[in-house]
Amino acid sequence: MSRKPSKVKVIPLGGMQEIGKNMTVIEYKDEIIVIDSGLSFPEDEMLGIDIVIPDISYLIKNREKIKGIFLTHGHEDHIGALPYVLKKLDVPVYGAKLTIGLVEVKLKEHRLNNVSLNAIDPGDKIKTGNFEVEFIRVNHSIPDACALAITTGAGVIFHTGDFKIDYTPIDGKMMDFHRIAELGKKGVLLMMGESTNVERAGHTLSESLVGHTLDEIFSEADSRIIVATFASNLHRVQQIINAAHKNGRKVALSGRSMLNVVNVGTNLGYLDIPKDCFIELRDVNRYPDNEVVLITTGSQGEPLAALTRMASQEHRQIEIKQGDLVVFSAHPIPGNEKLVSRVINQLFERGAEVIYESLSEIHVSGHACQEELKLMHSLVKPKFFVPVHGEYRHLKQHMDLAIRLGMNPENTLTLTNGSVLELDKDSAKLAGKVSSGNILVDGLGVGDVGNIVLRDRKHLSEDGLMVVVVTISKSTGALVSGPDIISRGFVYVRESEDLMDKAKDVVKKSLESCESRNVREWSHLKNNIKDDLRNYLYEQTKRNPMILPIIMEA
């Protein structure tokens, strides 16, 4: 009797129905491979949280099966969680040279020195036993972006990674259409396709268009130029350097991530730097304004980024002055619009001229629009399709696009983080869920801040805090001293003395009531104080501060 062929499992742990935090598990027989290991940035209600990473408890439980983490490219939403994951899992990491170079910098910052990092070239194939993973060149807003073709006993899974179709890429290295079409001709079981720009009709413009715009801006400007962009967008950085050199300007870099990425890009040969082009940031003021270009971080209005500090006059070396030309060569990530707008307003107030996307073609996306997505579907011709990398509306619209191209609606599926998709040559179906969700990173704490702590932070931020300190007799339970009340973020005590005095009376009466009923348990005393004081304060102010009673015995 022949054995039934094994099914392959596809389990997203991040990147489904959200932007960022991309991580997908593929499991076949007794082996697991992981695609990407990204982070996302906190929502507004995640007070005090630095970054968000995927819950990898499923991987920890199955650590013996994991054969490697395979990276599509070097953006934070694809590599940012690696230091935290690799502290828990000792597994090899595979990626293209620039991707691995950026990972090395990240791991050094976390003092992780014994990780097996493997740099590959697009076209390389990595065999693990039950898997063969092929890296295929695509275009994106960072060099060395790759799609992955994963060959399993059940069929080929094609993961597009983040991509766009650029017929005039800056480095001259076009997407490998030939190999993608070849895979499609042989037969692809499942395609997982990125969905970020599925709402946009037409084609994404070529990165080279930005170079022409920058050249025009630089040739017409007679002032100092400051360009803000993503540090990881080395193609954009290269074009800024080219425009500066062509127009006789020196280039200075500002921002730690900008310095790190440019250093990696230069060392690995991804940037072509003209001789004597760079100057130190501290030397900028030694040159005439019309001979200088600054490339800086802060295109998203991040509070601690270099451009934000310049705009608020908090930068140690650079001060925005009348006539400076500031160019935002990036589009605000959804949710960052207010931050970016605030920085632009501050720059105008300092006397700078500011050029941003609505005024000029100074940014193009790195993600495929509808016509490019259609071409990818037509080349790959998968049997099953799962849209990835997007909020639910993006996934739904990408699924609809696939159906309009002729795909069987029953063969297109949207997943959630933690969903288990089981596939064989003839079927694809959901088969349960695994642990998934958000792990919150706050300073050095990873996962120690949960919903209850966030709820308390929200409560404190909205209503303030009131600490009540009392001392009672150990023998009789009578009030010995106090109550003392300390208020933070609730009312200004010096202007609310009557309220504070009456609040103390409420606490005294609450304790006297407990004493008369011979209630001595601290938990009961605290609850009584909280309830009585909360009722009084709400009656007087219509506010509910957090109340913390502290009881001491004497």
Side-chain angles (χ1 to χ4, degrees):
M1 193 170 79
S2 62
R3 290 182 62 191
K4 196 173 180 182
S6 298
K7 294 190 175 185
V8 62
K9 292 180 182 176
V10 176
I11 309 168
L13 294 180
M16 286 292 188
Q17 304 192 15
E18 63 181 352
I19 301 291
K21 197 160 66 71
N22 300 296
M23 177 181 268
T24 303
V25 174
I26 299 181
E27 188 169 349
Y28 184 67
K29 293 186 176 178
D30 59 346
E31 289 186 5
I32 283 174
I33 63 168
V34 181
I35 300 174
D36 290 331
S37 180
L39 58 75
S40 61
F41 294 102
E43 304 289 338
D44 288 345
E45 63 270 16
M46 295 178 181
L47 299 167
I49 300 304
D50 299 324
I51 60 169
V52 184
I53 61 175
D55 179 348
I56 60 163
S57 50
Y58 181 76
L59 292 176
I60 292 170
K61 195 164 65 175
N62 293 279
R63 66 173 76 229
E64 301 303 321
K65 296 181 180 180
I66 303 171
K67 298 302 175 185
I69 299 174
F70 294 80
L71 304 174
T72 58
H73 64 284
H75 279 151
E76 287 292 301
D77 56 335
H78 294 261
I79 68 170
L82 266 178
Y84 305 97
V85 171
L86 293 173
K87 285 172 186 174
K88 302 281 186 181
L89 300 171
D90 182 15
V91 297
V93 178
Y94 300 88
K97 288 174 186 172
L98 177 63
T99 308
I100 293 299
L102 296 174
V103 169
E104 281 180 334
V105 171
K106 193 169 286 295
L107 297 185
K108 273 180 192 171
E109 290 176 354
H110 285 258
R111 297 178 184 171
L112 285 168
N113 303 314
N114 298 315
V115 177
S116 171
L117 297 177
N118 303 274
I120 60 84
D121 291 315
D124 286 355
K125 298 176 182 178
I126 307 296
K127 293 185 179 179
T128 68
N130 292 323
F131 291 107
E132 181 183 84
V133 183
E134 180 180 356
F135 288 79
I136 301 168
R137 185 186 303 283
V138 296
N139 297 127
H140 188 39
S141 55
I142 186 172
D144 270 3
C146 292
L148 300 178
I150 301 117
T151 302
T152 74
V156 174
I157 296 171
F158 182 80
H159 193 300
T160 66
D162 285 353
F163 79 98
K164 66 186 280 189
I165 294 176
D166 194 338
Y167 298 107
T168 54
I170 299 307
D171 56 8
K173 297 174 181 176
M174 283 182 63
M175 180 187 295
D176 193 345
F177 294 107
H178 176 74
R179 181 56 184 151
I180 295 170
E182 201 171 48
L183 286 165
K185 192 172 182 181
K186 288 180 182 176
V188 170
L189 179 66
L190 170 70
M191 180 168 104
M192 305 180 76
E194 81 124 320
S195 313
T196 311
N197 265 358
V198 70
E199 294 175 317
R200 297 188 184 183
H203 298 83
T204 301
L205 294 171
S206 171
E207 176 66 31
S208 60
L209 179 70
V210 179
H212 297 310
T213 306
L214 288 170
D215 193 30
E216 286 176 15
I217 292 170
F218 283 28
S219 65
E220 293 171 5
D222 57 4
S223 59
R224 187 169 61 171
I225 300 173
I226 300 169
V227 186
T229 191
F230 291 110
S232 60
N233 194 342
L234 283 181
H235 291 323
R236 187 71 47 80
V237 172
Q238 180 68 69
Q239 295 197 98
I240 298 166
I241 291 168
N242 292 347
H245 184 64
K246 183 177 177 182
N247 289 280
R249 290 175 180 261
K250 300 290 186 183
V251 175
L253 304 175
S254 180
R256 186 168 61 93
S257 60
M258 184 66 71
L259 289 162
N260 285 341
V261 174
V262 169
N263 190 41
V264 171
T266 304
N267 290 340
L268 294 176
Y270 289 88
L271 285 174
D272 179 18
I273 312 295
K275 190 179 178 185
D276 299 327
C277 176
F278 279 155
I279 59 172
E280 294 294 328
L281 192 63
R282 62 174 177 267
D283 295 332
V284 163
N285 292 331
R286 296 182 183 178
Y287 291 81
D289 288 350
N290 63 357
E291 293 181 13
V292 172
V293 173
L294 271 67
I295 309 176
T296 181
T297 56
S299 64
Q300 298 303 303
E302 309 96 309
L304 298 178
L307 183 63
T308 309
R309 287 185 282 122
M310 291 177 202
S312 57
Q313 294 185 307
E314 294 174 0
H315 197 283
R316 284 183 300 180
Q317 292 167 300
I318 301 298
E319 185 177 323
I320 299 295
K321 58 188 180 182
Q322 189 76 29
D324 280 346
L325 176 62
V326 182
V327 180
F328 277 79
S329 190
H331 181 72
I333 294 169
N336 287 354
E337 293 89 351
K338 284 186 179 178
L339 292 173
V340 174
S341 181
R342 183 185 303 149
V343 172
I344 290 172
N345 284 329
Q346 287 178 323
L347 291 166
F348 274 124
E349 287 171 11
R350 303 271 173 264
E353 289 296 317
V354 187
I355 298 176
Y356 43 99
E357 197 177 9
S358 60
L359 301 179
S360 184
E361 293 287 359
I362 47 171
H363 177 66
V364 296
S365 175
H367 300 274
C369 291
Q370 288 174 9
E371 296 306 313
E372 296 152 275
L373 294 172
K374 289 177 186 176
L375 178 55
M376 183 65 85
H377 279 267
S378 302
L379 291 172
V380 178
K381 295 179 289 196
K383 181 165 189 177
F384 300 103
F385 172 61
V386 169
V388 299
H389 301 180
E391 296 173 5
Y392 184 77
R393 71 177 196 269
H394 300 112
L395 305 185
K396 174 68 169 64
Q397 289 180 62
H398 199 174
M399 193 167 69
D400 292 345
L401 181 144
I403 293 167
R404 289 198 303 274
L405 288 172
M407 211 160 176
N408 184 343
E410 293 180 3
N411 288 1
T412 63
L413 305 97
T414 55
L415 306 182
T416 59
N417 291 332
S419 296
V420 179
L421 176 66
E422 278 192 353
L423 296 138
D424 59 23
K425 289 185 165 116
D426 304 308
S427 66
K429 63 179 182 179
L430 292 174
K433 285 186 78 86
V434 304
S435 296
S436 67
N438 294 332
I439 300 297
L440 309 179
V441 179
D442 183 0
L444 296 176
V446 180
D448 58 347
V449 174
N451 289 335
I452 293 171
V453 174
L454 285 181
R455 186 191 65 197
D456 285 348
R457 288 182 180 183
K458 189 169 188 291
H459 190 179
L460 287 167
S461 72
E462 292 174 349
D463 300 302
L465 170 71
M466 184 171 274
V467 181
V468 181
V469 183
V470 296
T471 306
I472 60 174
S473 168
K474 194 170 186 177
S475 54
T476 66
L479 185 66
V480 175
S481 71
D484 292 319
I485 296 181
I486 301 160
S487 169
R488 290 290 181 273
F490 171 53
V491 292
Y492 185 45
V493 175
R494 289 184 184 176
E495 293 178 359
S496 308
E497 290 177 1
D498 286 349
L499 182 70
M500 290 293 126
D501 288 341
K502 286 174 183 171
K504 290 176 185 177
D505 291 339
V506 169
V507 175
K508 283 178 187 174
K509 285 175 183 173
S510 182
L511 288 170
E512 286 167 3
S513 168
C514 291
E515 186 187 356
S516 66
R517 289 180 284 120
N518 203 30
V519 174
R520 301 286 292 278
E521 281 286 324
W522 280 23
S523 59
H524 288 116
L525 293 174
K526 287 181 176 181
N527 285 335
N528 263 42
I529 291 170
K530 275 187 191 177
D531 291 344
D532 292 347
L533 191 52
R534 183 182 295 113
N535 291 337
Y536 168 73
L537 292 173
Y538 187 78
E539 186 182 296
Q540 297 297 313
T541 66
K542 294 295 184 284
R543 300 182 206 161
N544 279 313
M546 184 180 285
I547 297 169
L548 294 178
I550 298 172
I551 299 174
M552 298 180 289
E553 284 185 335

